[in-house]
Amino acid sequence: MKTDKLYYGAAYYDEYMPYERVETDFKLMREAGFNLIRIAESTWSTWEKREGEFDFTSLDRMLDGAEKYGLSVIVGTPTYAVPTWLVKLDPKVLTVNHNGQNLYGPRQNMDIVNPTYRKYAGRMIEKLTEHVADRPCVVGYQIDNETKAYDTCSEYAQKDFVGRLKKKYPDPDAFNHEFGLDYWSNRVDDWDCFPDIRQTINMSLAAEYEKYQRQIVNEFFEWQAGLIGKYKREDQFLTHNFDYDWIDQSLGYHPDIDQYAAARHLTVAGCDIYHQCQDNLTGKEIVMGGNIARSLKGTEQPNYLVLETNAQGLTAWLSYPGQLRLNAYAHIANGANCVEYWHWHSIHNAIETYWKGVLSHDLTPGQTYRECSVIGNEFARIGKHIKNMKKSNRVGVLLSNEALTGMKQFPTKSAGSHSYNVVMRWLTDVLYDMNIEYDMMGVADHDFSKYECVILPPLYSATEELLKELDEYVAGGGNLIAAYRSGFSNEILKVYPDTQPHILNRALGIRYDQFTYPEGVTVEYGGKSSAAREWMELVTPVTAETLSPYTHHTWGKYSAVTLNSYGKGHAMYLATMFGGDTLREIYRRFFDEIGLAYDDSAPVSIRRGVNDDGNEVIFYLNYSKDEIKFTHNGESGVSLLDEKNVGKGGELCLPPWGVCIVEIRK
């Protein structure tokens, strides 16, 4: 979605404040260059304290203040946190999951297919949207918050799941054969005898239930979008703050939602990206998360909104001076049109007391506020040059919910349920280090022909149609990098009973029939050596060249990395995981082979895009504590932040955590 300005702001909760201070806060926001707030998404019980009694006093106070101070507003539906009276009305609103019955207290503890929940949540959404729709400050709506199915295994969900299976497999024999349910007498020959899904030992059935859970999330989006659509003006957008798999920070693609399917019901995709700071700040989460968000609405709508990110955040995340500004520009460089913090003020009680906002607990303008003021006022000054950035990347990474589920059901050695995303980040983080920008693609929303190179994180689960398409892509002149465990099973995790990797073995020029965990095994290439980890396949080349064998007393006769010419294209296979420095050398060999240019000699991160005027904009981002001097890698232009001319090949100098943005004007 194109915007007429860069949005910059924070989530705001008048309901959480120790005293009424909307006037004070909104005045501070405007002085800091903020122009956007998100409100309402978690406070159902504030608007409806008792069943059927609606009170929007606090909401109106915020909207009145926003209009007075010229702030745009995103209104979130508050349906991910249910009020106590609703639970009393129907205790089954609190869902049952794999761990048992949910209790009241946490958010996102409800059953999204429960009819009572749907009835009252729907009424709340309509009342709220109708109330705010005509307010000129309301520019858009956010569906729910980081929505998933919350592992619902309720009676409603399981009954619905079985009903869908019956329609898909009218013949129980066909169902039993497809899922291999003869194993351990798991056959289901009477649909009324279908067992509780929570104890299944059949990973195909477990994966099918996870797919069902993703489907009901998609339907939940469609339902909310329909309710909001009754009142939404044409000039208002509809978004959602998609989040990510998580290990101490945003890690990778989320296993519990098909974001590509859900995003079809939105005007613009949004996301929540959280990351470590101080010496652990790299910018990699910003790029990974942003690349996923940028891909969700397709190439016709490439820009996205960052609806939550670090202000002060968790205690360990306090930014060094300059890092907030660096991160804000990194989001924009990746195609975002909005940077919004969670949240404006630090909360004084409850579970997120130590997840701090722009203001600290004293609610006065401190160091974080002052740094945000620099960003906000710079955005106001130069935003027209860097909004609606278009990217033209030559590398595409294929994401698959089904493969992710397969790797969760059958994880590798230490990464466990995060196996898929750990490998995805291994592959993409090295691209980042080499200043190779990349796009993401969904299995149902891909176009391989756009890319000179396609990269496969472990495509553990895939249809034969998809595997044949990849085979044809390489044969026709495309270039493929595939990680281990690709082409192993079909769409319901049933292992293909022929040469592995199934179908892809032709393009890759390899075969294998044994695999194990690496112990005392190394991979060497280009003078770099690192330990193999997580998984190793004992690959035998058929037509491929071995770039690196395993270094090991027994496994040394097998290939760890291979390269194959196939038709007009090339395909590389990574049969194990190893250090990033070694992978970087291997990438260099592959990209040199196929003629894909890269710039991994620059000491800074480089992001490129084209602005509304058709001018190339180059962002230089210094993710280090040191001052760095380097050469401008582009035609002559203007440094937007200080309005100085930059000559072709001119020397630039960035302070620690510094930014330089060069616009090359036609």
Side-chain angles (χ1 to χ4, degrees):
M1 182 186 76
K2 287 192 172 185
T3 58
D4 59 2
K5 61 185 175 184
L6 291 181
Y7 285 114
Y8 187 59
Y12 187 78
Y13 305 97
D14 175 54
E15 311 81 24
Y16 301 168
M17 286 293 186
Y19 53 91
E20 196 282 304
R21 49 177 285 130
V22 165
E23 185 90 10
T24 299
D25 287 325
F26 289 7
K27 184 174 184 294
L28 286 172
M29 287 182 186
R30 285 307 301 171
E31 290 172 353
F34 282 37
N35 57 23
L36 178 72
I37 56 173
R38 186 193 71 190
I39 63 175
E41 92 286 347
S42 62
T43 49
W44 184 349
S45 66
T46 301
W47 317 133
E48 191 178 8
K49 295 181 175 65
R50 285 168 291 277
E51 193 271 311
E53 297 181 17
F54 296 95
D55 181 359
F56 294 119
T57 303
S58 178
L59 180 67
D60 289 335
R61 183 162 55 237
M62 290 185 284
L63 295 174
D64 290 343
E67 289 175 0
K68 178 177 179 179
Y69 287 96
L71 299 173
S72 297
V73 179
I74 297 173
V75 176
T77 60
T79 42
Y80 79 110
V82 298
T84 52
W85 59 259
L86 182 60
V87 178
K88 181 180 179 182
L89 183 69
D90 182 0
K92 290 183 179 179
V93 164
L94 300 181
T95 196
V96 174
N97 59 30
H98 275 80
N99 295 318
Q101 175 67 58
N102 273 336
L103 299 176
Y104 187 81
R107 63 181 184 175
Q108 299 171 323
N109 57 357
M110 70 288 184
D111 176 12
I112 64 172
V113 296
N114 175 285
T116 304
Y117 170 76
R118 284 291 189 101
K119 173 183 176 181
Y120 289 97
R123 186 178 68 178
M124 180 72 252
I125 292 167
E126 290 205 51
K127 289 285 187 181
L128 175 65
T129 312
E130 183 181 25
H131 188 80
V132 305
D134 292 333
R135 299 295 291 255
C137 62
V138 176
V139 295
Y141 302 90
Q142 177 183 298
I143 289 178
D144 212 66
N145 177 81
E146 298 179 350
T147 302
K148 274 80 70 177
Y150 316 122
D151 190 32
T152 180
C153 300
S154 70
E155 62 182 83
Y156 302 104
Q158 294 207 46
K159 182 179 180 181
D160 186 31
F161 173 62
V162 174
R164 297 187 193 205
L165 285 178
K166 288 168 67 175
K167 289 182 180 179
K168 187 175 181 180
Y169 300 98
D171 180 2
D173 282 337
F175 169 67
N176 284 298
H177 175 75
E178 186 76 3
F179 284 82
L181 293 175
D182 285 302
Y183 184 79
W184 283 6
S185 293
N186 272 212
R187 286 183 62 88
V188 178
D189 290 295
D190 180 349
W191 291 110
D192 291 335
C193 296
F194 202 97
D196 191 305
I197 197 68
R198 289 176 293 169
Q199 284 290 326
T200 186
I201 49 81
N202 185 294
M203 277 57 181
S204 294
L205 191 57
E208 191 72 9
Y209 190 74
E210 288 196 37
K211 186 184 298 183
Y212 162 76
Q213 290 179 323
R214 293 193 295 270
Q215 288 170 346
I216 62 175
V217 174
N218 181 37
E219 293 162 8
F220 186 72
F221 271 70
E222 184 177 23
W223 172 71
Q224 286 217 24
L227 296 175
I228 295 168
K230 294 179 182 180
Y231 307 96
K232 184 178 77 68
R233 303 192 311 263
E234 287 189 7
D235 63 326
Q236 294 173 324
F237 60 77
L238 185 60
T239 190
H240 176 75
N241 57 330
F242 293 108
D243 63 336
Y244 301 94
D245 193 13
W246 183 273
I247 301 180
D248 299 327
Q249 59 189 6
S250 300
L251 173 66
Y253 194 48
H254 207 291
D256 298 337
I257 178 172
D258 182 346
Q259 295 181 352
Y260 290 91
R264 295 186 191 119
H265 307 294
L266 308 176
T267 311
V268 57
C271 61
D272 295 351
I273 300 176
Y274 290 104
H275 49 78
Q276 297 185 50
C277 292
Q278 300 180 25
D279 293 334
N280 296 314
L281 179 65
T282 66
K284 292 175 179 176
E285 287 74 35
I286 289 173
V287 167
M288 175 279 302
N291 285 355
I292 293 175
R294 195 179 65 242
S295 71
L296 295 181
K297 293 294 292 179
T299 56
E300 298 304 312
Q301 301 180 58
N303 301 110
Y304 60 98
L305 311 175
V306 177
L307 295 168
E308 293 184 24
T309 192
N310 307 39
Q312 296 184 69
L314 295 174
T315 302
W317 290 355
L318 182 65
S319 295
Y320 290 152
Q323 287 187 339
L324 276 174
R325 179 172 176 261
L326 173 65
N327 292 332
Y329 283 110
H331 288 298
I332 303 305
N334 215 47
N337 274 337
C338 168
V339 177
E340 189 173 49
Y341 299 112
W342 200 87
H343 42 125
W344 171 252
H345 65 282
S346 299
I347 296 172
H348 295 80
N349 58 285
I351 195 169
E352 291 179 316
T353 297
Y354 284 89
W355 197 305
K356 294 180 66 181
V358 174
L359 300 186
S360 291
H361 292 106
D362 61 5
L363 300 178
T364 60
Q367 180 61 27
T368 300
Y369 172 84
R370 288 188 288 273
E371 292 187 31
C372 289
S373 298
V374 172
I375 301 164
N377 287 291
E378 285 182 349
F379 275 12
R381 179 168 59 86
I382 71 167
K384 64 182 180 180
H385 299 280
I386 56 175
K387 64 183 176 66
N388 304 321
M389 296 296 295
K390 294 180 181 178
K391 315 286 285 184
S392 182
N393 298 330
R394 295 169 296 163
V395 176
V397 178
L398 185 68
L399 296 177
S400 167
N401 277 114
E402 290 73 24
L404 194 163
T405 298
M407 293 281 281
K408 188 168 72 169
Q409 294 292 335
F410 297 103
T412 56
K413 186 176 182 182
S414 62
S417 63
H418 303 289
S419 295
Y420 179 88
N421 280 318
V422 166
V423 184
M424 183 271 282
R425 286 293 302 277
W426 173 60
L427 296 168
T428 58
D429 284 358
V430 177
L431 293 176
Y432 175 90
D433 291 336
M434 298 176 71
N435 280 319
I436 297 174
E437 296 194 70
Y438 61 93
D439 293 336
M440 299 294 201
M441 297 175 281
V443 165
D445 303 82
H446 66 266
D447 180 0
F448 298 145
S449 67
K450 289 176 52 181
Y451 300 103
E452 295 176 39
C453 178
V454 169
I455 296 181
L456 302 183
L459 191 58
Y460 184 86
S461 169
T463 64
E464 289 197 322
E465 289 74 18
L466 177 59
L467 297 175
K468 288 176 182 176
E469 189 179 350
L470 287 162
D471 177 272
E472 292 167 0
Y473 165 75
V474 179
N479 301 287
L480 181 71
I481 299 175
Y484 55 85
R485 303 187 86 183
S486 291
F488 194 78
S489 73
N490 70 7
E491 58 270 32
I492 61 165
L493 306 193
K494 197 170 186 178
V495 177
Y496 285 115
D498 60 0
T499 303
Q500 292 290 356
H502 183 61
I503 294 178
L504 293 180
N505 65 81
R506 299 191 295 259
L508 294 166
I510 64 168
R511 66 178 304 277
Y512 70 89
D513 57 61
Q514 290 185 305
F515 41 79
T516 187
Y517 297 131
E519 296 289 345
V521 181
T522 58
V523 176
E524 299 178 3
Y525 191 79
K528 302 293 183 181
S529 176
S530 53
R533 57 190 176 94
E534 290 299 328
W535 184 265
M536 63 181 292
E537 293 159 354
L538 305 183
V539 164
T540 299
V542 178
T543 59
E545 168 192 0
T546 296
L547 292 189
S548 176
Y550 294 112
T551 302
H552 187 265
H553 56 77
T554 299
W555 308 133
K557 65 180 181 179
Y558 295 106
S559 301
V561 182
T562 60
L563 176 61
N564 191 48
S565 295
Y566 181 69
K568 298 178 181 179
H570 301 81
M572 175 182 283
Y573 193 65
L574 308 173
T576 187
M577 190 174 178
F578 42 87
D581 287 344
T582 309
L583 180 60
R584 186 167 177 163
E585 294 299 319
I586 289 168
Y587 272 177
R588 282 175 174 159
R589 165 64 190 276
F590 187 75
F591 294 137
D592 289 344
E593 182 85 20
I594 67 175
L596 191 148
Y598 54 90
D599 183 6
D600 67 343
S601 61
V604 294
S605 178
I606 304 172
R607 309 283 107 182
R608 299 174 186 269
V610 175
N611 66 15
D612 285 337
D613 294 326
N615 296 331
E616 183 181 21
V617 180
I618 304 176
F619 294 75
Y620 296 106
L621 310 167
N622 180 12
Y623 278 93
S624 84
K625 65 182 185 306
D626 303 313
E627 179 181 272
I628 293 180
K629 293 181 179 180
F630 59 97
T631 300
H632 166 54
N633 186 16
E635 299 297 321
S636 297
V638 176
S639 173
L640 294 176
L641 290 169
D642 58 15
E643 300 181 347
K644 293 182 178 179
N645 292 326
V646 178
K648 182 178 181 179
E651 185 177 77
L652 295 173
C653 182
L654 287 182
W657 319 110
V659 179
C660 178
I661 307 169
V662 179
E663 181 182 19
I664 301 170
R665 295 173 179 170
K666 294 179 179 179

